[in-house]
Amino acid sequence: MTRTAVYNDYNHPQPGETSTLTLDEKVSREISRNGIKKPKGYTVSYHANPEVEKMHFGPKHPMKPWRLTLTNKIVLAYGMHDAMDVYLPRAATFQELTEYHKEDYIEFLSRVTPKDRLDWEGKGILPYNMGDDCPVFDGLYEYCSLYSGASLDAARKLTNNQSDIAINWSGGLHHAKKAEASGFCYTNDIVLAILQLLLYHPRVLYIDLDVHHGDGVEQAFWSTDRVMTLSLHKYDRTNFFPGTGGSDDTGPKHNANPGAHHSLNVPLHDGIDDDSYIRLFKDVVGPCIETYQPTAVVIQCGGDSLGGDRLGCFNINIKAHGACVEYTKNLGLPLLVVGGGGYTPRNVARLWAHETSVCLGTELHGALPLHTPFIEHFAPDKTLYPELSQTGRYDNKNSDKYLRDIVTSIREQLRYVQGNPSVQLQHVPPDLGAVREEVEREIEEQRDMKDFGRRRRERGAGMRGEYAR
């Protein structure tokens, strides 16, 4: 082949014909293709700290924080960050964590190491319910502080009117109790965030979509009428964790207790499908809103209620799960959106990316952008919306009559909720925003002291004649 022929065989690609676009150009194309833009009339904030993604529970543990990496990469690949206010939240302080949790428990979390666990196992001691479900790993306290801090930051943005919908996918760890870990959860970021909301909102509705009962949040607000908890979950008292959340678990039994009838549960059997789940959700949430009249809503979007989840047993697809978030969003109330369970990471990431788009009011194309990092994890279809209802499908054991009876039971409980609940607490928590400002001042003072000490040590370094003695 002559040199001329080689030259003629190569045609330089014209603008628009080459695939060698920069990442920014590819993301811009996705933004345009999907019509992504800042919502009109409301603001969405996104709270994410990449340090959380680095945590590791252990090779055989079902909880995989790197599902957050996948989620954030999809959000960025579509360009949804361009339509939100994105924040890098700081870690929660010891004082902020102890606004709900006991000091000795948080002190324990701050000091414990993996070596300590080996010592306990040798003695047969497992303090604070630590063990296989809640292992001790390197960075445990940092992990708790980071995901809790993100939920607190999101709640503050709502109370400061800086945001109307605030998202923290690293949060939603709803099983943690006041003085012990439970169900992969160590600190209850949801409770901490709701306490922050209660400084400004007289009534908060908490909705839990996790396949497991939201027992930790329910327990925290068991005796108050300022928070109504509503959990939709698989229920089996003896064979499914945590074994709580039956239809008769409605709060304190004595009607004189303010929390009576303010803990509502929707116990489900295996295999509920899209249509039944959406209809049931609307049929129970609608009356709760009408009767309780909350001024803010928190929704936990556990991804283990999806079909095919490693620990789940429902047949729900991503868009059906998202339809519940959309219904809640359309209520027009300040909304805190958090993550939760979900043990098939690629599907959890798809779900939370989709629900981010729901919060933005954007409908995404199903094909994942080809520049999405780790796209091979979504093979072979590489789509945002795989058919999950047929993956490891369970027979639907929720008859229409059973679901109607649940709705009737919820409506019956709501009859006891008389008018607007009280707006006073026996103990009003301190303003965590003020705590934050104080902590930030202390950090700044420590930084200034370090700089002052460094300048003293370096004073005269390199000056003429310094060593001429």
Side-chain angles (χ1 to χ4, degrees), residues 5 50 52 62 73 79 81 86 240 261 269 278 302 343 370 374 418:
V52 181
K73 296 303 184 185
H81 59 288
V86 180
F240 196 80
H261 310 292
H269 304 310
I278 296 172
Y343 308 102
L370 294 179
F374 312 116
Q418 300 294 328

Side-chain angles (χ1 to χ4, degrees), residues 30-295:
E30 287 297 327
I31 292 173
S32 177
R33 180 186 179 210
N34 291 278
I36 295 172
K37 54 187 176 181
K38 281 188 176 289
K40 290 184 178 180
Y42 66 97
T43 301
V44 179
S45 60
Y46 194 84
H47 306 259
N49 191 318
E51 295 301 312
V52 181
E53 305 166 19
K54 302 175 183 179
M55 302 301 171
H56 188 51
F57 279 59
K60 296 183 179 180
H61 199 285
M63 175 65 94
K64 307 293 184 186
W66 68 275
R67 62 194 180 151
L68 298 167
T69 302
L70 297 179
T71 301
N72 293 331
K73 296 303 184 185
I74 297 176
V75 169
L76 292 169
Y78 275 107
M80 287 186 275
H81 59 288
D82 195 59
M84 301 184 285
D85 294 338
V86 180
Y87 293 95
L88 176 66
R90 64 166 177 80
T93 66
F94 184 94
Q95 184 175 354
E96 288 171 328
L97 294 175
T98 54
E99 285 305 319
Y100 172 60
H101 295 285
K102 289 198 171 182
E103 287 192 15
D104 60 340
Y105 174 54
I106 298 302
E107 181 71 25
F108 166 82
L109 291 178
S110 70
R111 294 181 178 275
V112 69
T113 67
K115 180 182 180 300
D116 295 328
R117 181 184 175 180
L118 296 175
D119 294 339
W120 300 331
E121 289 177 345
K123 299 176 183 177
I125 302 172
L126 292 174
Y128 300 105
N129 201 34
M130 308 297 282
D132 291 338
D133 280 358
C134 300
V136 176
F137 54 86
D138 288 328
L140 173 59
Y141 182 71
E142 181 185 8
Y143 171 66
C144 298
S145 301
L146 287 170
Y147 74 73
S148 297
S151 287
L152 281 170
D153 187 52
R156 291 189 189 107
K157 294 300 184 290
L158 294 175
T159 58
N160 293 339
N161 296 319
Q162 293 175 264
S163 180
D164 299 290
I165 302 175
I167 302 170
N168 171 30
W169 294 127
S170 70
L173 278 72
H174 59 169
H175 294 306
K177 307 303 191 298
K178 188 178 184 70
E180 69 175 27
S182 178
F184 315 159
C185 307
Y186 300 88
T187 54
N188 200 314
D189 63 287
I190 302 170
V191 173
L192 294 169
I194 291 176
L195 288 175
Q196 178 69 24
L197 292 174
L198 288 174
L199 296 174
Y200 299 87
H201 291 279
R203 296 172 299 282
V204 176
L205 173 64
Y206 170 69
I207 304 172
D208 195 309
L209 300 182
D210 202 280
V211 76
H212 301 94
H213 177 228
D215 58 332
V217 182
E218 179 184 272
Q219 185 180 109
F221 298 108
W222 186 255
S223 295
T224 180
D225 57 1
R226 293 191 61 197
V227 179
M228 176 175 281
T229 61
L230 173 65
S231 178
L232 295 82
H233 52 269
K234 160 68 184 282
Y235 174 70
D236 184 328
R237 188 171 292 277
T238 57
N239 298 310
F240 196 80
F241 181 85
T244 55
S247 57
D248 57 343
D249 296 331
T250 60
K253 298 303 181 184
H254 200 295
N255 286 332
N257 191 306
H261 310 292
H262 284 76
S263 299
L264 305 179
N265 287 295
V266 179
L268 298 171
H269 304 310
D270 291 349
I272 191 166
D273 57 26
D274 290 354
D275 292 340
S276 298
Y277 193 79
I278 296 172
R279 183 172 61 252
L280 176 65
F281 182 86
K282 294 178 179 180
D283 286 347
V284 296
V285 172
C288 289
I289 295 293
E290 181 179 352
T291 301
Y292 187 61
Q293 299 178 31
T295 55

Side-chain angles (χ1 to χ4, degrees), residues 297-311:
V297 179
V298 178
I299 186 166
Q300 195 263 23
C301 303
D304 47 9
S305 47
L306 292 175
D309 187 80
R310 182 176 173 183
L311 300 183

Side-chain angles (χ1 to χ4, degrees), residues 335-398:
L335 178 61
L336 173 59
V337 182
V338 293
Y343 308 102
T344 304
R346 61 184 179 276
N347 292 337
V348 177
R350 287 164 161 146
L351 173 70
W352 291 345
H354 167 68
E355 292 180 340
T356 301
S357 75
V358 167
C359 292
L360 292 172
T362 298
E363 187 170 346
L364 301 175
H365 291 278
L368 288 170
L370 294 179
H371 58 270
T372 304
F374 312 116
I375 195 170
E376 65 275 7
H377 286 287
F378 304 96
D381 48 25
K382 299 181 181 178
T383 178
L384 190 62
Y385 304 115
E387 179 58 52
L388 300 180
S389 61
Q390 302 301 321
T391 305
R393 184 176 178 82
Y394 287 78
D395 291 336
N396 189 353
K397 298 180 180 179
N398 301 276

